[in-house]
Amino acid sequence: MRPSSGLRRGVLALLAAAGLVLPAVHATAATPTAYYLDCSAGTDGNGTAAAPWNSLADANSRLFQPGDQLLLKRGATCHGTLQPQGSGTPGSPITLAGYGTGTARPVVIGDPTGTSNAAVHLYNVQQWEIHELEITFPDSSAAKRERNGLLVELADLPGGVGSHYLVDDVYVHDVNGDATKYSNGIQFRVSGTTTPTNFDDVVVQNSQIANVDREGLTTRSTWMCRPAYGTGDGCGTTVNWRANTRVVFRGNTVSGTGGDGIVIRVADHALVEHNTVHDVAVHPMGSNAGLWTINSDSTTIQYNEVHHVNRLSDSNDGMAFDSDYSNTNALFQYNYSHDNQGGFMLFCGACGAGSSTTGTVVRYNLSVDDGSRWLFAVGEENAHMYNNTAYLPAGSTTAIIQQGTGTSITALTGNLFYNLGSGGYTGFGSSTYQPAEFSWDANAFYGHHPANEPTDPEKVTADPELSSPGATTASGYTLGTGSPARGNGAVVGDNGGQDYFGTAVPQVCRPDIGFQQASSFADGSCSPTNPVRNAGFESGALSPWTSYGGVTVDSANAHSGNYAVRVGPSAAGAEQIVTVKPNTTYTLAGWGKVSATGNQLSLGAKLYDSLGSSVHASFTTTSYAAGSATFTTGPTATTATVYCYAHSGTGYGYCDDITLTQS
């Protein structure tokens, strides 16, 4: 005997509550169907436009098929949890949206007395598109638990990949969750421990998230463990990292969160762009930031505005952006940061036990009146910050760099610091500022000059003549026609091709300093600049070279000019990180000698591919001789390390007039 439709709905509801999904063979609809839900209707119908359902239970009991639509009445409010079942197919997704006249959204309000942890919960389904909804999950009680507005969750999904999720023009607000990072406005979560699972093709766009605890818009996954993540969060020695792919968060506004704004976790090539995050981290909930990424590869964060992130008494953070631990090649570009209590940028590669991060690039961003510190450096193996502009008004105490625990190897090139405040370069807590971890090239320092201002052989200290410093728009920080920052930057390979405003930037000619390329240029008429800065040590100082062992700038043994570098006794060396292009052949050349027979000196390059390869020329004579070595960069390389190294012997080696040219 065939069960009645009411009994079938009841069975489906019980299965849904248990987290089970019926297979597609149970489908009852042969063609796509639109189902209507009006929770304000006095009687329950059959789901047609003429006789809509009037409860979420009706929708939850339906096994939706590819191409179906679940349409909620605009202006009507449903109470409880919407957890529809069934999946679409490529080209035939299931749509959740509104119907009816007027501009009011359909509303789903989570039940604070129920057991569900989300107002809208898509569980182990895929190929869904959601439009126009308003979602809220308030709770006035003092005892909070995990709550989400929209939770899209995969747990041990057969096949391992959940594909195609579009969230467009959705309004999530007043979600009163607990202080854990499982409580969100919108979250895409991978759970489970038996079947490796990930999301593919996730887009959240044109949506608003306001007044939620703890986080706004995020991804997360239990399949997160890899060596660079360290031993935290129960990983130990487990390696099970499986990235979410094709994740895009675009054009959203996040505000009033108790903690973080937008977070990308466990993703590969995620894109976060054109979002506004403001007035977040408003409750004491530990360390939080505006917009950040962790445990991900090649995340791009661009064209976002982040402002008024709070740094509360229980927090070390409170900055706009963060490249947290276990990231590789995160990119922050063309963003506008202002009025954030914790600063502009955090490098937190060493924030987890045994964790690390490498390859973070921060370029062509504008930071205005950010607090505490422009960069909070807590671990990065190889970062590059270039062509950013930072404005600090009179009375500001913001440090340019504040150093925490962990090594932060960072090259700073062509940045403009307009510092009318009193902040400089300092440690944090028991840590001290480690200047050897930072290399500086062609930056502009205007206003306050602390005693430990970096030695930059091509620094600019004259007034950069900003158009309207202190303005509330980016146009106020453009360069005047006579600015000394024009044409005095340094060429960076693979520089993205444009500035903050979309203007082309030089590839051969020297660029302007800061986030704007104001001056015109003709690359065809410029000779390539030497990527090795202070190549003849004629500044009389070592920077931007870094040293280990015995290294000094020597005025008695120059090959040309007045200075050379002296290294030794072995083992000792001077190193410099230079920018290079991927898949490109270079020749490193220079002059070298040793102080006595029996010593050996190397001039070389290393770390120009993923294999950690190196090449060098050797010098064993006591008179200067020319030497060279050729290498080809790897397909993803953007930097290499040039070195002068006392390889053996008890005496000294000398290097001078070093060049790096494309072959």
Side-chain angles (χ1 to χ4, degrees), residues 184 190 251 299 489 566 593 605:
N184 281 251
V190 179
T299 303
R566 187 187 78 183
K593 70 173 184 176

Side-chain angles (χ1 to χ4, degrees), residues 537-602:
F537 306 94
E538 292 306 301
S539 69
L542 193 61
S543 180
W545 298 83
T546 58
S547 64
Y548 56 93
V551 178
T552 187
V553 174
D554 189 286
S555 61
N557 288 278
H559 169 258
S560 68
N562 297 313
Y563 298 97
V565 67
R566 187 187 78 183
V567 294
S570 66
E575 294 186 347
Q576 182 181 152
I577 297 173
V578 298
T579 58
V580 294
K581 298 178 181 178
N583 291 320
T584 303
T585 300
Y586 289 89
T587 297
L588 175 69
W591 294 80
K593 70 173 184 176
V594 295
S595 62
T597 302
N599 295 293
Q600 185 175 352
L601 175 74
S602 296

Side-chain angles (χ1 to χ4, degrees), residues 512-553:
D512 296 347
I513 297 173
F515 82 134
Q516 180 211 15
Q517 179 62 37
S519 57
S520 58
F521 60 91
D523 277 336
S525 63
C526 293
S527 299
T529 57
N530 184 6
V532 182
R533 316 307 294 173
N534 197 19
F537 306 94
E538 292 306 301
S539 69
L542 193 61
S543 180
W545 298 83
T546 58
S547 64
Y548 56 93
V551 178
T552 187
V553 174

Side-chain angles (χ1 to χ4, degrees), residues 117-118 120-122 130 135 146-154 165 167 172 175 180-191 199 202 204 209 212-222 244 249 260-261 263 265:
N117 59 2
V120 178
H121 192 184
L122 298 187
I130 304 176
I135 303 170
E146 179 197 335
R147 289 191 176 86
N148 298 271
L150 169 60
L151 175 61
V152 184
E153 184 176 12
L154 303 176
Y165 304 85
V167 178
V172 179
V175 177
T180 71
K181 295 192 176 187
Y182 286 90
S183 289
N184 281 251
I186 299 176
Q187 183 174 101
F188 285 79
R189 178 189 302 173
V190 179
S191 305
F199 287 102
V202 172
V204 180
I209 300 171
V212 303
D213 287 328
R214 169 178 176 170
E215 298 186 315
L217 171 59
T218 74
T219 60
R220 73 177 310 117
S221 176
T222 53
N244 298 304
F249 292 164
D260 303 304
V263 187
R265 299 181 178 91

Side-chain angles (χ1 to χ4, degrees), residues 241-514:
W241 191 79
R242 183 177 172 111
N244 298 304
T245 55
R246 295 196 292 168
V247 176
V248 179
F249 292 164
R250 174 188 294 125
N252 306 290
T253 299
V254 178
S255 64
T257 62
D260 303 304
I262 298 176
V263 187
I264 292 289
R265 299 181 178 91
V266 195
D268 180 35
H269 283 85
L271 176 62
V272 183
E273 63 178 4
H274 298 289
N275 301 283
T276 300
V277 177
H278 67 93
D279 296 284
V280 298
V282 297
H283 299 154
M285 289 185 171
S287 298
N288 297 277
L291 201 165
W292 55 288
T293 181
I294 182 172
N295 200 13
S296 297
D297 291 345
S298 301
T299 303
T300 296
I301 295 175
Q302 61 183 12
Y303 305 112
N304 303 283
E305 180 178 357
V306 180
H307 62 95
H308 292 94
V309 177
N310 290 293
R311 182 186 179 192
L312 301 175
S313 58
D314 65 338
S315 169
N316 291 331
D317 292 4
M319 58 284 299
F321 302 101
D322 168 22
S323 180
D324 218 277
Y325 55 94
S326 193
N327 283 323
T328 301
N329 300 328
L331 173 62
F332 297 79
Q333 61 182 2
Y334 317 130
N335 299 291
Y336 178 28
S337 167
H338 62 96
D339 300 289
N340 299 292
Q341 289 184 355
F344 164 59
M345 191 77 213
L346 168 64
F347 291 161
C348 210
C351 288
S355 65
S356 63
T357 282
T358 188
T360 301
V361 171
V362 182
R363 66 188 182 195
Y364 291 103
N365 301 283
L366 173 63
S367 166
V368 175
D369 199 10
D370 285 322
S372 300
R373 55 264 157 145
W374 181 72
L375 169 65
F376 189 23
V378 194
E380 227 292 356
E381 294 184 353
N382 181 21
H384 199 175
M385 305 182 75
Y386 61 89
N387 286 97
N388 302 286
T389 294
Y391 170 79
L392 299 171
S396 169
T397 59
T398 297
I400 302 300
I401 294 178
Q402 187 175 71
Q403 179 110 36
T405 57
T407 301
S408 299
I409 303 301
T410 306
L412 295 104
T413 306
N415 301 290
L416 194 160
F417 300 102
Y418 197 105
N419 184 8
L420 304 181
S422 59
Y425 308 84
T426 185
F428 176 76
S430 60
S431 301
T432 58
Y433 174 61
Q434 302 292 330
E437 295 180 9
F438 303 92
S439 61
W440 301 83
D441 183 22
N443 298 277
F445 303 87
Y446 175 70
H448 176 57
H449 298 282
N452 63 344
E453 181 175 283
T455 301
D456 182 335
E458 299 190 63
K459 72 168 63 176
V460 172
T461 58
D463 186 348
E465 300 179 11
L466 301 184
S467 58
S468 183
T472 57
T473 60
S475 61
Y477 302 90
T478 56
L479 301 176
T481 56
S483 173
R486 288 178 176 244
N488 280 317
V491 176
V492 174
D494 192 26
N495 61 11
Q498 65 182 41
D499 71 358
Y500 178 94
F501 299 98
T503 302
V505 298
Q507 305 300 309
V508 180
C509 298
R510 295 192 69 165
D512 296 347
I513 297 173

